[in-house]
Amino acid sequence: MAGVVSALRANALHETEMDAAPSTAPAFVEFSDVCKSYDGETLAVAHVDLAIGKGEFVTLLGPSGSGKTTSLMMLAGFEAPTSGDIVLAGRSVSRIPPHKRNIGMVFQNYALFPHMTVAENIGFPLSVRGVGRETVRQKVDRALALVRLSGLGHRRPTELSGGQQQRVAVARAVVFEPDLVLMDEPLGALDKQLREQLQLEIKRIHSDLGVTIVYVTHDQSEALTLSDRIAVFNGGGIRQIGTPMEIYERPLNSFVAQFIGESNRLDGRVISRNGDRCRVQIGADATIEARAVAIGDVGCSTSVTIRPEHVVINPPPGGWDNVLTGLIETIIYHGDHARAQLRVADSQVFTVKISDPRNASALKTGETVQAAWRASDSRALDPDPAAGAAP
Amino acid sequence: MPAAPSAPLGGRQLKQRLRRIQRRQALRAFALLAPLMLFLAVNFLLPITLMFVRSVDDPDVRRVLPRTLAAISNWDGLALPSNEAGAALLADLGAVENREDLSRAANRLNYDINGFRSLIFRTARSAGRIDATHAMDALGALDQRWKDIETWGAVKRAAGPTTSFYLLGALDMKKNAGGEIHRVGSERAVFTLVLARTLWISLWVTLLCLLLGYPVAYLLATIPSNVANILMILVLLPFWTSLLVRTTAWVVLLQTDGPVNGALRWVGLIDQPLQLIFNRVGVYIAITHVLLPFMVLPLYSVMKSLGPTTMRAAISLGAHPFTAFLRVYVPQTMPGVFAGTLLVFISAIGYYITPALIGGADDQMLSYFIAFYTNETTNWGLAGALGVVLLMMTAVLYLIYSRLAGGAGPRWA
């Protein structure tokens, strides 16, 4: 088993070196082997290594309980690491109390001070730093303009909508020109439309101010939209770090492949291996070819993942590495596209995205069709997402 | 075929239906409230109304001395009244048939001038034997006091049917025979002193409760709920024992040879036992103990709803934890502070048993005197007037307070 794991690691490293451009920015924030335990038995955060460059927008993405918020809280100073070290701007933060870290923070529930006006809220970090009244006023006005709330400074937070309240919280977190801004699921309480609008605003503020942002979310599309790089968390550790495109196009393990976007998973067994390609037996009499990303030796089980948009139904013959016969179970019309759900290779479920939904009208439920894709679009990964979760 | 549910109703018909439904809802709400309303009317509104009436009602003297009161109705109170007044008094006293009525009237006059009761009975006994033509001289001969203008002033003040005598008395004031209001001499001025003392004690108790209760409520609101529940039971424990038992327990604890003094001496902090009971210290300790939950509970309920994020936000924005506490946490707890202090202060104002059992003579609060005049001397007029003063004082303070509290106060304040 140890052999298998090391083989998986070796493969993962191999691909990382090949595909991911190494980050050239010097580390501004650095987690070194950080662990956090609340009960002394299990690790809420397990051996996290993470380097963030100055001016970078890094998202910690993961399901709830994956350790992403705990990591953020350790960076903010509200939790202390059980072991390991966090370095901020060249200094270990373990001795710096949270109020001296010069970090702006935005919370999911806004955390505005209800007894102060909007302007007083935004001016708070300045006034506790002893900034003069007139300077405070100017900076608050500029921050209000930045989040497009000019003229609302005299209002109380409760008189604003949720989206406006979160803009105030963002303005308050950046008004004192902090080295680092932390955002803990800031858009979680907003509806979809507002969320997308504010995502754009946050991205704009990031590029306007050039500030370093560490952003926590469980919403993968938000992470893809906003980030320079994404760190995917699961089970207390980072499963993969990379640009949104790397994470989406080249997942290194089944967890990342399943968590980010939609993936078809075909479980099978490696029957041969040739360089970066391998052949996998799925079901009784079907084999497919895939990129060998994170697999063991011949005979080991594996999960092959294929994005639904890379599969073609009833393709023109020739040129396809993999063709499987499947039975159409359902066809769902989504407006701008359609989805067909097939049963292939001993009744494994398989989804195909049909980009032009008008083509779907030719298909009928219960019909037998051919599903085809290129080997380079499919990736043979570790067999079980749970195995990917192990540190 | 059934009518379609969307069939339009005529405008009138729709309004009628709506009104019928609203009427039914109002009726239901009233029926649910009615038992409590009845209870409050009988046990709360009625006694208060009676107290108001008692404080201004003055029927006793006019029943016995109608002719006398008629004779002095236009008297200016500057010199002794005319001979007719004396004759009328003799006629009235001679005509009394009901000893009970005479006794009541004598009591009422005795409230005004000490010794008036015996004067009335003495005069009544001699009334038949005195010649009415020189009534004033004869009365003066019978008793010197009839030559005093204020004696007649007292009679006039008791004319009824309503009087300001009790209410003025509750404020240490009095009308003289000429109808001018003046303060009574300092040797008789007790009630303003007692009122000030009542407010002073209540103020200190409120401050002590706030000082002791705020940290407790903060702890309760921030620790894990299983521990908080146990501590909350300890906070509520005073509610589960009777007020009398708790108060007498303090007597046992605080007495000169009690465990508190014993412990202090054993530790070596004091050589001589401290006087902790039958003085102001004991009163403060006991009332604060009883009222502490009324401070902790509103504070706790406000603090529980706050959560840690605003404090965290303030600290992350660069505020020292202490600054964050003062500028962000405390202002958000102000509704709880206002509700708690209001509850404790108003409860403390009416305290009676605790100071009566634990305090000394100089620690009695206004309620003690209300009870005293109700039970001991049955001077219900003065008891009612003191009650009115207490009620008015509470209402005025409440109004000032809710004005000060402004938006930060509880919605109902």
Side-chain angles (χ1 to χ4, degrees):
Chain A
M1 197 60 204
V4 176
V5 172
S6 65
L8 292 176
R9 287 245 168 98
N11 266 312
L13 278 175
H14 177 64
E15 175 140 338
T16 309
E17 281 162 30
M18 262 191 357
D19 297 346
S23 174
T24 49
F28 179 61
V29 175
E30 191 159 15
F31 284 66
S32 319
D33 196 27
V34 172
C35 294
K36 173 73 184 179
S37 177
Y38 289 102
D39 54 7
E41 287 169 9
T42 54
L43 290 175
V45 169
H47 308 287
V48 164
D49 288 300
L50 175 64
I52 297 168
K54 197 164 178 65
E56 226 186 340
F57 194 126
V58 172
T59 298
L60 315 185
L61 174 68
S64 57
S66 60
K68 58 187 193 308
T69 299
T70 309
S71 298
L72 193 78
M73 288 301 162
M74 287 192 283
L75 185 50
F78 297 121
E79 303 281 359
T82 311
S83 70
D85 194 20
I86 301 172
V87 173
L88 172 64
R91 288 170 72 200
S92 168
V93 294
S94 56
R95 296 274 170 81
I96 310 176
H99 65 278
K100 291 196 175 147
R101 294 190 184 189
N102 207 30
I103 293 175
M105 192 147 179
V106 181
F107 296 83
Q108 176 174 4
N109 55 6
Y110 322 133
L112 296 177
F113 309 135
H115 59 289
M116 297 183 190
T117 64
V118 166
E120 285 166 349
N121 262 282
I122 298 174
F124 182 83
L126 299 171
S127 76
V128 297
R129 283 172 171 76
V131 175
R133 198 171 289 265
E134 184 56 27
T135 318
V136 169
R137 203 185 56 76
Q138 285 169 4
K139 289 197 171 185
V140 166
D141 283 349
R142 235 176 295 151
L144 277 170
L146 182 72
V147 295
R148 304 183 180 181
L149 288 177
S150 294
L152 296 186
H154 60 281
R155 299 254 188 109
R156 294 260 166 193
T158 46
E159 294 167 343
L160 302 181
S161 70
Q164 288 173 322
Q165 289 187 40
Q166 197 56 294
R167 283 160 198 247
V168 173
V170 170
R172 190 179 64 175
V174 300
V175 71
F176 59 104
E177 292 152 32
D179 304 323
L180 180 63
V181 175
L182 308 181
M183 301 194 177
D184 183 12
E185 309 225 7
L187 309 181
L190 305 175
D191 61 53
K192 187 165 173 288
Q193 211 172 352
L194 209 53
R195 208 157 55 216
E196 283 165 3
Q197 191 188 337
L198 273 170
Q199 280 170 12
L200 294 178
E201 300 245 340
I202 289 175
K203 206 159 169 63
R204 180 178 57 79
I205 289 168
H206 174 240
S207 62
D208 283 3
L209 301 179
V211 67
T212 312
I213 296 183
V214 180
Y215 192 99
V216 162
T217 185
H218 62 264
D219 181 339
Q220 39 118 351
S221 78
E222 195 166 287
L224 293 173
T225 311
L226 290 173
S227 320
D228 294 330
R229 284 195 302 150
I230 299 172
V232 184
F233 273 71
N234 192 38
I238 297 178
R239 299 275 76 88
Q240 186 174 353
I241 309 177
T243 64
M245 192 181 273
E246 279 165 14
I247 296 280
Y248 186 82
E249 301 286 345
R250 295 193 287 280
L252 296 182
N253 50 61
S254 289
F255 173 77
V256 174
Q258 299 295 328
F259 190 73
I260 313 286
E262 201 182 349
S263 275
N264 287 305
R265 202 176 98 215
L266 293 170
D267 293 326
R269 196 166 289 279
V270 180
I271 53 173
S272 72
R273 198 175 164 169
N274 176 20
D276 70 331
R277 295 295 162 96
C278 64
R279 188 150 277 281
V280 177
Q281 172 96 41
I282 53 166
D285 51 0
T287 65
I288 53 173
E289 198 187 345
R291 272 175 181 273
V293 179
I295 58 168
D297 299 327
V298 170
C300 289
S301 49
T302 181
S303 267
V304 178
T305 62
I306 311 108
R307 298 280 182 203
E309 65 266 30
H310 292 148
V311 183
V312 181
I313 283 189
N314 288 338
W320 300 98
D321 304 315
N322 298 308
V323 179
L324 281 186
T325 305
L327 190 73
I328 297 180
E329 280 207 323
T330 51
I331 299 167
I332 299 162
Y333 179 70
H334 284 277
D336 60 340
H337 72 278
R339 260 152 213 274
Q341 220 159 50
L342 315 182
R343 289 270 176 196
V344 299
D346 297 349
S347 75
Q348 298 200 42
V349 178
F350 199 82
T351 306
V352 181
K353 185 175 172 188
I354 302 159
S355 50
D356 188 344
R358 284 169 296 188
N359 294 343
S361 54
L363 303 172
K364 286 184 184 64
T365 307
E367 198 182 354
T368 304
V369 292
Q370 305 288 312
W373 66 92
R374 277 189 285 276
S376 56
D377 288 333
S378 60
R379 300 166 71 81
L381 304 169
D382 49 308
D384 182 14
Chain B
M1 193 182 137
S6 60
L9 293 163
R12 250 174 60 99
Q13 208 183 347
L14 188 64
K15 264 184 200 159
Q16 255 176 3
R17 278 196 190 185
L18 190 65
R19 215 172 298 143
R20 204 177 309 148
I21 290 167
Q22 282 170 341
R23 213 166 27 230
R24 210 174 301 150
Q25 281 171 343
L27 212 65
R28 184 168 164 275
F30 183 76
L32 288 170
L33 276 177
L36 180 63
M37 295 299 246
L38 193 70
F39 180 85
L40 285 180
V42 171
N43 290 299
F44 188 71
L45 286 178
L46 191 67
I48 286 185
T49 314
L50 286 178
M51 180 179 81
F52 270 94
V53 170
R54 286 277 183 198
S55 68
V56 293
D57 189 27
D58 201 3
D60 297 331
V61 174
R62 54 193 280 115
R63 194 175 298 138
V64 180
L65 304 177
R67 279 163 280 217
T68 318
L69 293 174
I72 60 173
S73 62
N74 291 323
W75 174 53
D76 60 6
L78 297 176
L80 274 176
S82 65
N83 197 50
E84 287 162 45
L89 178 73
L90 291 172
D92 280 334
L93 288 176
V96 170
E97 287 169 6
N98 192 337
R99 295 282 300 172
E100 193 83 358
D101 285 347
L102 183 66
S103 176
R104 266 208 210 103
N107 274 343
R108 164 65 185 86
L109 292 168
N110 203 56
Y111 295 151
D112 200 327
I113 296 176
N114 225 354
F116 215 133
R117 186 180 160 84
S118 58
L119 175 63
I120 284 288
F121 280 115
R122 193 166 163 208
T123 314
R125 272 195 301 277
S126 319
R129 284 175 271 124
I130 294 174
D131 176 16
T133 46
H134 301 287
M136 286 307 278
D137 297 337
L139 281 168
L142 183 70
D143 196 304
Q144 283 292 317
R145 283 175 286 185
W146 287 120
K147 288 183 182 166
D148 187 348
I149 296 175
E150 281 308 318
T151 305
W152 291 95
V155 175
K156 195 179 177 190
R157 278 195 290 277
T162 59
T163 180
S164 59
F165 170 72
Y166 297 119
L167 284 171
L168 288 173
L171 296 169
D172 289 337
M173 288 188 275
K174 199 172 183 177
K175 269 185 189 166
N176 65 11
E180 293 154 342
I181 296 174
H182 65 98
R183 301 196 60 81
V184 299
S186 57
E187 75 287 348
R188 292 197 63 186
V190 286
F191 298 124
T192 43
L193 188 70
V194 170
L195 191 64
R197 179 195 297 156
T198 304
L199 297 177
W200 184 247
I201 291 178
S202 302
L203 186 74
W204 273 105
V205 166
T206 308
L207 286 176
L208 281 172
C209 281
L210 186 62
L211 280 176
L212 296 173
Y214 200 93
V216 174
Y218 181 75
L219 183 74
L220 285 171
T222 45
I223 56 174
S225 59
N226 52 342
V227 189
N229 287 342
I230 295 170
L231 286 180
M232 185 55 92
I233 289 172
L234 294 179
V235 169
L236 293 178
L237 212 57
F239 281 144
W240 297 354
T241 44
S242 109
L243 182 68
L244 216 57
V245 171
R246 263 178 288 158
T247 309
T248 40
W250 278 117
V251 176
V252 174
L253 283 173
L254 296 175
Q255 61 186 300
T256 316
D257 302 321
V260 172
N261 267 315
L264 286 174
R265 256 193 296 185
W266 187 76
V267 172
L269 279 174
I270 52 169
D271 301 325
Q272 292 297 311
L274 293 174
Q275 182 63 38
L276 296 173
I277 195 115
F278 308 124
N279 62 7
R280 198 59 67 80
V281 178
V283 171
Y284 285 148
I285 292 175
I287 302 185
T288 302
H289 173 238
V290 174
L291 292 180
L292 199 53
F294 290 104
M295 183 63 84
V296 172
L297 290 177
L299 283 174
Y300 171 76
S301 77
V302 169
M303 289 176 178
K304 194 71 193 165
S305 68
L306 288 183
T309 46
T310 48
M311 270 288 273
R312 282 191 167 181
I315 292 171
S316 79
L317 294 168
H320 187 276
F322 187 68
T323 314
F325 182 76
L326 281 187
R327 285 188 54 184
V328 171
Y329 193 82
V330 171
Q332 289 187 80
T333 61
M334 284 325 269
V337 172
F338 282 121
T341 47
L342 197 65
L343 268 177
V344 169
F345 188 81
I346 289 182
S347 302
I349 273 185
Y351 254 64
Y352 150 58
I353 292 184
T354 306
L357 292 181
I358 288 187
D362 290 338
D363 307 316
Q364 298 311 318
M365 296 166 74
L366 199 60
S367 298
Y368 169 84
F369 290 90
I370 296 176
F372 174 79
Y373 285 113
T374 309
N375 301 328
E376 304 286 321
T377 67
T378 60
N379 185 352
W380 289 0
L382 188 53
L386 287 172
V388 170
V389 167
L390 190 59
L391 188 67
M392 289 301 155
M393 187 56 80
T394 311
V396 166
L397 285 172
Y398 175 80
L399 284 177
I400 294 172
Y401 191 81
S402 60
R403 179 67 56 86
L404 284 178
R411 280 277 168 271
W412 39 268

